[in-house]
Amino acid sequence: MQISSEKYAKFDQFLVDFPVKNVAHVQINRPKSLNSFDINTYTQFGLMMDILSYDPEVRVIVLSGVGKAFSSGLDIKTAGKILGTGDEEPSRRALRFNKFIKDFQNSIKTPHTNRKPVIGVAHGISYGLAIDILAGVDIRIASEDTSFSIKEVDIGMAADMGSLQRLPKITGNLSWIKELAYTGRNFSARESQAIGFISGISKTKEEAISHALKLADIIAKKSPVAIQTTKQSINYALDHDIQAGLDQIAEVNTYALGLDTITAVQSAFTKDKPVFSKL
Amino acid sequence: MQISSEKYAKFDQFLVDFPVKNVAHVQINRPKSLNSFDINTYTQFGLMMDILSYDPEVRVIVLSGVGKAFSSGLDIKTAGKILGTGDEEPSRRALRFNKFIKDFQNSIKTPHTNRKPVIGVAHGISYGLAIDILAGVDIRIASEDTSFSIKEVDIGMAADMGSLQRLPKITGNLSWIKELAYTGRNFSARESQAIGFISGISKTKEEAISHALKLADIIAKKSPVAIQTTKQSINYALDHDIQAGLDQIAEVNTYALGLDTITAVQSAFTKDKPVFSKL
Amino acid sequence: MQISSEKYAKFDQFLVDFPVKNVAHVQINRPKSLNSFDINTYTQFGLMMDILSYDPEVRVIVLSGVGKAFSSGLDIKTAGKILGTGDEEPSRRALRFNKFIKDFQNSIKTPHTNRKPVIGVAHGISYGLAIDILAGVDIRIASEDTSFSIKEVDIGMAADMGSLQRLPKITGNLSWIKELAYTGRNFSARESQAIGFISGISKTKEEAISHALKLADIIAKKSPVAIQTTKQSINYALDHDIQAGLDQIAEVNTYALGLDTITAVQSAFTKDKPVFSKL
Amino acid sequence: MQISSEKYAKFDQFLVDFPVKNVAHVQINRPKSLNSFDINTYTQFGLMMDILSYDPEVRVIVLSGVGKAFSSGLDIKTAGKILGTGDEEPSRRALRFNKFIKDFQNSIKTPHTNRKPVIGVAHGISYGLAIDILAGVDIRIASEDTSFSIKEVDIGMAADMGSLQRLPKITGNLSWIKELAYTGRNFSARESQAIGFISGISKTKEEAISHALKLADIIAKKSPVAIQTTKQSINYALDHDIQAGLDQIAEVNTYALGLDTITAVQSAFTKDKPVFSKL
Amino acid sequence: MQISSEKYAKFDQFLVDFPVKNVAHVQINRPKSLNSFDINTYTQFGLMMDILSYDPEVRVIVLSGVGKAFSSGLDIKTAGKILGTGDEEPSRRALRFNKFIKDFQNSIKTPHTNRKPVIGVAHGISYGLAIDILAGVDIRIASEDTSFSIKEVDIGMAADMGSLQRLPKITGNLSWIKELAYTGRNFSARESQAIGFISGISKTKEEAISHALKLADIIAKKSPVAIQTTKQSINYALDHDIQAGLDQIAEVNTYALGLDTITAVQSAFTKDKPVFSKL
Amino acid sequence: MQISSEKYAKFDQFLVDFPVKNVAHVQINRPKSLNSFDINTYTQFGLMMDILSYDPEVRVIVLSGVGKAFSSGLDIKTAGKILGTGDEEPSRRALRFNKFIKDFQNSIKTPHTNRKPVIGVAHGISYGLAIDILAGVDIRIASEDTSFSIKEVDIGMAADMGSLQRLPKITGNLSWIKELAYTGRNFSARESQAIGFISGISKTKEEAISHALKLADIIAKKSPVAIQTTKQSINYALDHDIQAGLDQIAEVNTYALGLDTITAVQSAFTKDKPVFSKL
């Protein structure tokens, strides 16, 4: 049985361990319900990700699920509870519900706002909210058996946790994305790569995680200043015009260039592996 | 001989029928001139699409052309007429011409602004304006014989009806797009898929239309609330930063979630096919 | 030994010749240091590109490197000089350094702001700044032996000359781009095409240049009004929402449509090759 | 009894006459209900304004109300009808209601989108929707007896027809605007001028209209090209950054400068009054 | 001696009481240091404002200072501590400092993001950070003895907590604002009103607070749905173009219109004072 | 006779001297043509301002005109030359003319982009281009005899050098601005202050200049780091939403805070006048 590292043990919806130096492996830990998210799960998710974001021992985060499914999406009983019983004054109910959606979004978007790169490993069932979460991580890989679906249309609603908002910006075939979003049909890892959603496929879940941890290890040994400002700059570029992107990195590099560049350049001459201090 | 459904018969530049429940099949109907668009064609196009947008019997629109060509683009005689004879006062002529371009754009962009998904089926000659129109629909498929061309450069002008404005946002290889736009060369269905412009290829025009109608049927049976807000949300995301996209769908879902979600969830338990009321 | 055409001879960091009518072939000419850029190189680059932008004899620019490498990126000694010796007052040093980054950016972005299409031919080593430069040209092709790397992370910094700012907008698999940016690993021409970065691969550098010149020749024979406004419109679209893109080209075509369209249409009837006057 | 000019007689909610050459005086004509707007009124308003926008005989529009009140705002019975009886499916009711708000907005914003300058003359009661309408005209003057109120808060809602959206951009004391919007209290013509909402005060309604017609006459004798592009440019500037504003007018003046400038400059030499042809 | 209401007693840097129903009066409570802000003060400020934002008993917030000064700005010893001792690695120190500025901003901007209207009462010394705070509240009034200063220039820095970022958008004379920001000179309540910064002046601090509480009482008796969506809509308008502002309120009013409008309209007929339930 | 300081003597359209330490007084020097601008004038203006922007001896710039007029605007003969004789191919003429407008704009906007504050002193005739220039400076004062006019409408065109683009953002009564822009009528210093265009009035030109130089002296003695980043931040705020403004200054202050703050704080304790090193 896996046990979460002490520091993160209070987040009982997740398993967090450190299989590689400076790399946190986070697993969604509700295998009995196919790692679906209820209110407790999403509340913990945002809090935990924010702590990981400022934990100096963590340089990269790998995200997967305990058991066969990555996640089957929103827990359906939760959905019922949130919609309410209908005896509230309608405008106040709507304002309460509006706040719920925004709080949920604020949790689910934390991989994107996290200062550290997040590598998502899809496997097995990856439906609905699973796509919203994966769309917000930095690097997406999958095992061959992954079954993806933008499932929300099948519960009579538009996906509102990031899938529809992010997929047009991070993939390269909008016709395909719209077909998947309108039909809610399953799609495979291969198809996922063809539309630009994932960048690597491994045979099994185990191999996919092993591949992710190797990638994470490589990244964890780079300058954390370089990695964090690179993530910040790409994400900024997604949301701004090109000149604004150039201006942003000019400002950041004005103060971010320092010891790590000197360390890196010296290592290039001495052929030693550079070691970067924490951040 | 095909006849347009009564309601849409006044639009004589097009054939409109309903081969599948709640699915309108619109065909450009000027086969003698390879379905080129003159002033009458584009004027009718915008008006017809707006009526389809609010017709509660229509949930999905399939767009193709009568005969071999999807469309050969702008009718060249029309172009001559619009440019005028040169005896107008230049600044007033320019302001008139400016209004013409904007009116034309407002017609050609109606598949994008339509509340219902539009599936475009490219086949045969698909030049110039054909690309502008297809770039604005939701899902693009093509028959193997399709010959695409961003033709405008060959009549000495930049494409101004949507191709250049949309292709950088809906495909995944800008180098390729620029090559096609600068050279005006023909490209095939295969190449079109490689750059991310289309999401499916069928052997013949007939098979492509049949495939499109099957897709349309699947979508037409989904909740129309879910489908319309999904389209709205993806299109909004294209034009805004990620946070704005999240905010938009939070507002919309605050009021759009209702009966269809309940219907869908109940059907999931009873295993019945859900039936959604019109919108 | 190659000699630069007289007009551009003062730019000794580059070779400029005209192998095809109206096509300038610009080669980075520091083969001994693998075409790395020092202060002199980047200063000349911006000035030269701006002159090419307004040279009426130039309609297309092809960009490659003398020798095996396209470019190995920033000259490492230059980096040292720029960072300074540390005895400046910190806020003034930062403001000076900030200006340096912006001046450097203003040079490296000139292929993008150039009024003429620029075709980049990657070959051999194409590291760091090479990616920044190539990300800003219009059409990217490569020889099979090209070795790409978003190298900046390995000198402890985020790429600040355009790679991170442009790649999310011009390619179609952000997961892949982030993996390359975080790991700094080498990637091939094939992989580069798979993520949507390049649109063509030739066997050798010579064949790649020959292919680029043929493309350039085709483009150079088109209406320069059409080509320049097409480039302007695609680049504008990258940075604005769709409606703004439509508005922009409506304004431009209001005054840009004229003689070239008449010439093109008449040629279509007479079957003669149209000849367009310079711009 | 006043009678509307023949061309606009079908709009029975308004009186339209031409007291000065090329100047349309539009009066809201529901004095019995203090010129409140019901569905018919707002529907006619948008249609009528769009016709005035393209009527070449009209160069300036003056807007006031028949009788003592400019307008008391939304007809309260209309509000009831629109909210509905509550037996609709909630999400479909919301989507219908959403469309109603947007259609209403599209009517009320027509003074802003009108190609011709609109001068609003406030007098007597000018509550709620009256402020929304006035906030969208170009020039606002008032008689001394005018009583303004951002009244919506008193019917339990945020103003959604333009007041809250425009006042922060067209006036100069946001603290004051928020106080008025939160309290719904009456404010006078003097206070209105102090916060930057109106630019002129006349003693009586008659004098205010007379002053507006004199202003209109001056503007109607200017070049219509200059006036219309000036309005377009100021309105564009309100919604964009400064550089975008400069780019917009550069594009427009590229084609808008012509005969009127020559006419104007020649008149300056001959000291004749210039006469500009219609547009 | 004043004592803070129990619920807010833990925020010892402030006094919070409820002199009027549903109105919280918040006083900065460091009179010995002229209500300057140290780290503790700004940390508490953000937390306290966020609790007030969701306290259903609070509908309006009035903000002033204990003693003669509203606030003398940043505590100068705090500034020293934050800048650090200079023995940190420069890029890590910069990233830490950058986070400090953003955390500080996130606290100081809470009056703007608060769901309830905030009325700021300036009095006595109101320097530096005082202007940043006041620029973010909704309604600003002042006593005659108030001495304002955009003081930051006198400690060698640009104001970074909101003054420079907000004043150009909320006042009406940018020349004047720049003069004040460049010279750091004192300006009076009268001058403050002339440039559009404040909307009311009272003779003494006591009268100003009394006036603020009366305003607050009026607002607290309005529909909280109307007040909160009005604030949200004006603040949204400040940051977006006019059409986006119209779209935002259309979405919000789709779900926000309900019981309060019915209550308000019925009260208008019965002449009773409407009573609105909490939110 | 006044003589320009040696360094700036080559700009013969202007007089540049240094009446106060670190303050450049620039005077438009074409009094015979009422300081109208021809091509030479505007070309020199941009070049000169850019040199002043990087001259470490210059901390503030004061701008006025030699003789009675500040400027009568565009030289009318220049306008004629630019419009051309009409024998060019129309689309190429338009593209040439478009470039002319943009080059002219790039010159006239240099007071805004200048790193140093610019104080404009209006006096006598200040028509057309004079308003465009003044709208782009930081601080505007005027002598009582100043006669302003947004004159462009009287030569049949929309102002395209900044007036229409900037006035809505820097003043506080848009109704008034539109009235002035549509009528082209003269307005006085008093009216100019009432609409928020200027912040100070002096009796005579001499007193206005003397007042401007005193202001300039005060500003020149402040930390140049603080002054330049303050200008940068206010101008950025004008063009961006509030959160973006806060982010921008957070980035800048991360590296701009340093010696000048220490100097300033120490001076506050020692009561000495702080002296700041050049930038």
Side-chain angles (χ1 to χ4, degrees), chain B residues 45-65:
Chain B
F45 184 72
L47 293 171
M48 178 189 64
M49 289 302 284
D50 283 346
I51 294 173
L52 287 161
S53 184
Y54 284 99
D55 184 338
E57 297 307 318
V58 175
R59 296 193 181 182
V60 185
I61 299 161
V62 172
L63 181 64
S64 69

Side-chain angles (χ1 to χ4, degrees), chain E residues 5-261:
Chain E
S5 83
E6 206 175 333
K7 197 170 179 180
Y8 294 93
K10 63 180 163 181
F11 300 113
D12 63 6
Q13 307 284 306
F14 300 89
L15 269 182
V16 182
D17 57 7
F18 293 85
V20 174
K21 195 180 174 201
N22 293 328
V23 176
H25 183 197
V26 173
Q27 297 174 70
I28 312 167
N29 190 15
R30 291 166 40 96
K32 285 180 193 165
S33 68
L34 297 172
N35 292 328
S36 69
F37 272 58
D38 67 9
I39 292 178
N40 195 17
T41 322
Y42 93 73
T43 306
Q44 285 189 14
F45 184 70
L47 293 171
M48 177 188 64
M49 289 302 284
D50 282 347
I51 294 173
L52 287 161
S53 186
Y54 285 99
D55 184 337
E57 297 307 318
V58 175
R59 297 194 181 182
V60 185
I61 299 160
V62 172
L63 181 65
S64 68
V66 171
K68 289 202 169 169
F70 175 83
S71 172
S72 60
L74 181 65
D75 183 291
I76 212 74
K77 277 169 287 184
T78 299
K81 257 184 272 176
I82 294 156
L83 284 169
T85 52
D87 50 359
E88 280 175 280
E89 190 272 305
S91 65
R92 280 166 181 76
R93 181 204 158 279
L95 287 162
R96 177 187 61 73
F97 185 50
N98 186 263
K99 182 172 184 315
F100 161 74
I101 299 177
K102 288 183 174 169
D103 286 348
F104 202 157
Q105 287 181 343
N106 284 339
S107 167
I108 297 306
K109 80 182 182 194
T110 49
H112 183 88
T113 56
N114 204 291
R115 305 195 310 161
K116 321 294 170 56
V118 182
I119 302 174
V121 181
H123 53 87
I125 289 174
S126 300
Y127 286 177
L129 188 60
I131 309 271
D132 293 282
I133 291 170
L134 289 164
V137 308
D138 294 281
I139 297 172
R140 283 167 289 280
I141 62 176
S143 65
E144 270 189 4
D145 74 329
T146 311
S147 178
F148 294 102
S149 165
I150 305 175
K151 202 69 183 171
E152 284 86 346
V153 74
D154 280 337
I155 50 167
M157 64 177 282
D160 56 5
M161 290 296 139
S163 296
L164 306 183
Q165 292 70 45
R166 296 178 192 277
L167 290 172
K169 295 177 185 286
I170 65 178
T171 61
N173 189 317
L174 189 63
S175 173
W176 212 322
I177 294 296
K178 284 189 166 176
E179 187 193 315
L180 298 172
Y182 294 161
T183 62
R185 72 167 169 82
N186 289 2
F187 56 105
S188 67
R190 294 282 154 214
E191 198 173 349
S192 193
Q193 189 171 40
I195 59 173
F197 185 53
I198 65 170
S199 53
I201 301 178
S202 296
K203 272 217 166 152
T204 63
K205 176 187 165 185
E206 287 66 35
E207 286 179 39
I209 287 173
S210 166
H211 176 55
L213 290 173
K214 268 177 214 153
L215 259 181
D217 185 35
I218 292 167
I219 299 170
K221 285 179 176 142
K222 306 282 178 188
S223 150
V225 173
I227 292 296
Q228 292 181 23
T229 55
T230 294
K231 174 169 179 172
Q232 184 186 356
S233 197
I234 293 178
N235 283 357
Y236 188 91
L238 270 185
D239 276 350
H240 292 84
D241 63 45
I242 290 169
Q243 187 57 50
L246 291 169
D247 290 345
Q248 180 268 347
I249 190 61
E251 297 300 297
V252 170
N253 271 357
T254 295
Y255 58 78
L257 286 185
L259 183 65
D260 288 16
T261 298

Side-chain angles (χ1 to χ4, degrees), chain A residues 232 236 248 250-252 254-255, chain F residues 232 236 248 250-252 254-255:
Chain A
Q232 183 186 358
Y236 189 91
Q248 181 266 349
E251 295 302 296
V252 170
T254 294
Y255 58 79
Chain F
Q232 183 186 356
Y236 188 91
Q248 181 267 348
E251 296 301 297
V252 169
T254 294
Y255 59 78

Side-chain angles (χ1 to χ4, degrees), chain B residues 183-194:
Chain B
T183 62
R185 73 166 167 82
N186 289 2
F187 56 105
S188 67
R190 294 281 154 214
E191 197 173 349
S192 192
Q193 190 172 40

Side-chain angles (χ1 to χ4, degrees), chain C residues 58-134:
Chain C
V58 175
R59 296 193 181 183
V60 186
I61 299 161
V62 172
L63 181 65
S64 69
V66 171
K68 288 201 170 170
F70 176 82
S71 172
S72 60
L74 182 64
D75 184 291
I76 211 74
K77 276 169 288 183
T78 299
K81 255 183 275 174
I82 293 156
L83 284 169
T85 51
D87 51 359
E88 278 175 281
E89 189 273 306
S91 66
R92 280 167 181 76
R93 180 203 159 279
L95 287 162
R96 176 188 62 73
F97 185 49
N98 187 264
K99 181 172 185 315
F100 161 75
I101 299 177
K102 288 183 174 169
D103 285 348
F104 203 157
Q105 287 181 342
N106 285 339
S107 167
I108 296 306
K109 81 181 181 194
T110 49
H112 183 89
T113 55
N114 204 291
R115 306 197 307 160
K116 321 293 170 57
V118 181
I119 303 174
V121 181
H123 53 88
I125 289 173
S126 299
Y127 286 178
L129 189 60
I131 309 272
D132 293 283
I133 291 170
L134 288 164

Side-chain angles (χ1 to χ4, degrees), chain A residues 197-216:
Chain A
F197 184 53
I198 65 170
S199 54
I201 301 178
S202 297
K203 273 218 167 148
T204 63
K205 177 188 163 183
E206 288 64 36
E207 286 180 40
I209 287 173
S210 164
H211 176 55
L213 291 173
K214 268 178 214 153
L215 259 181

